Amino acid sequence: MASPSARPALAAVGSPVPAHVAIIMDGNGRWASARGLPRAAGHRAGRDAVRRTVEAARELGVDVLTLYAFSTENWRRPSDEVGALLALLHEAVLAEAEELHRSGIQLRVCGALDGLAPETRAELDRVVALTSGGAALILNIAFNYGSRAELARAARLLAADVAAGARTPESIDEAAVAARLYTAGLPDPDLLIRTGREQRLSNFLLWQCAYAELVFLDVLWPDFGRDHLVAAIATYQQRQRRFGAAPGG
Ligand code: FPP
């Protein structure tokens, strides 16, 4: 992975390019309704936007792209929409596997995968293994993901270690928690983008986005493309990141 200083200064986007971009892809349903189409058609159009965004992120020199594809709360949607979303993910992974591999894109998945159908789980495992050597971009799909559930899971894992005598409560620090999140080993997001005009985090990467720059865009996800990503990165580049330090410090 490129170090920040080695990151190419791309004329189109300036510098620095955020190492990790996370996106809440919102607005598929409204995009479909505006066209008199079923919500599933919006999700299918959203898949094309995913393809454009992955390609653009790779070209622009982003190291990690995390996409919120399905939340633990999305199970509350009508069963036909849930079925359509699950089928879409399965199809997309199946259809894009070879292209991801050829393009050097490493697929990862974060979330409670035991909630998935065994065939989808097996397909994901296959493509994650196939692409594991990819060095151009890590594409991290948050699937059946919820930040609070992720933090509760980390707490359970640490409590089990303490109960087994493998560690003391005092030894539990931020690094110990971070190492038990689904994102262990990945840098925290530098830039979080949400499309679809809403301005909230919706239980997405709450721990990891402690210092992320937030950019909310007035575009529905199926209309998102390279230009929107470039614009969000340009906004990010105008922010002064302080990580709690004094201005100018
Ligand atoms: C939110 O829009 C979007 C989702 C819940 C699903 C996102 C899924 C995709 C873009 C499909 C393809 C993904 C991959 C990784 C292949 P919404 O339905 O909440 O829209 P609304 O707010 O307009 O109702």
Side-chain angles (χ1 to χ4, degrees), residues 2-245:
S3 71
S5 53
R7 209 173 295 288
L10 291 155
V13 290
S15 184
V17 173
H20 186 170
V21 176
I23 307 185
I24 301 176
M25 309 179 287
D26 195 13
N28 295 348
R30 277 164 287 160
W31 184 93
S33 302
R35 289 162 178 75
L37 297 170
R39 292 176 61 80
H43 297 314
R44 278 196 300 277
R47 177 180 158 184
D48 296 335
V50 167
R51 200 178 292 116
R52 291 192 292 274
T53 306
V54 170
E55 186 46 37
R58 190 179 69 100
E59 244 181 65
L60 296 171
V62 170
D63 290 334
V64 185
L65 176 67
T66 296
L67 301 177
Y68 203 6
F70 193 92
S71 75
T72 44
E73 289 71 34
N74 285 155
W75 295 105
R76 296 181 197 145
R77 295 188 175 206
S79 60
D80 59 338
E81 185 179 350
V82 169
L85 270 169
L86 296 176
L88 189 63
L89 179 89
H90 187 108
E91 269 169 45
V93 172
L94 196 66
E96 308 293 344
E98 290 309 321
E99 180 60 28
L100 292 174
H101 185 40
R102 261 197 308 277
S103 314
I105 297 173
Q106 188 184 131
L107 182 73
R108 293 207 198 176
V109 189
C110 70
L113 297 189
D114 44 7
L116 295 179
E119 326 65 271
T120 303
R121 176 87 196 260
E123 185 54 28
L124 282 170
D125 288 347
R126 182 185 76 79
V127 181
V128 166
L130 173 74
T131 62
S132 61
L137 173 75
I138 293 175
L139 171 60
N140 185 33
I141 306 284
F143 201 83
N144 198 18
Y145 175 85
S147 198
R148 288 181 172 185
E150 177 187 40
L151 286 163
R153 173 179 173 272
R156 278 195 304 279
L157 293 172
L158 287 164
D161 282 354
V162 171
R167 67 182 314 142
T168 62
E170 296 70 30
S171 73
I172 298 174
D173 55 10
E174 292 182 14
V177 176
R180 282 155 185 85
L181 300 178
Y182 294 122
T183 49
L186 296 178
D188 284 342
D190 302 290
L191 169 62
L192 172 77
I193 301 170
R194 180 173 187 142
T195 64
R197 304 178 189 131
E198 309 288 357
Q199 303 199 355
R200 54 177 169 258
L201 295 179
S202 298
N203 203 17
F204 187 48
L205 303 177
L206 301 180
W207 171 285
Q208 297 88 336
C209 283
Y211 287 102
E213 294 297 327
L214 311 183
V215 173
F216 299 102
L217 295 180
D218 187 12
V219 57
L220 301 175
W221 176 252
D223 292 326
F224 189 89
R226 187 183 197 278
D227 291 350
H228 298 99
L229 183 61
V230 169
I233 291 176
T235 302
Y236 164 85
Q237 287 165 343
Q238 284 153 19
R239 304 268 176 91
Q240 197 197 353
R241 301 189 80 192
R242 292 203 291 270
F243 301 95

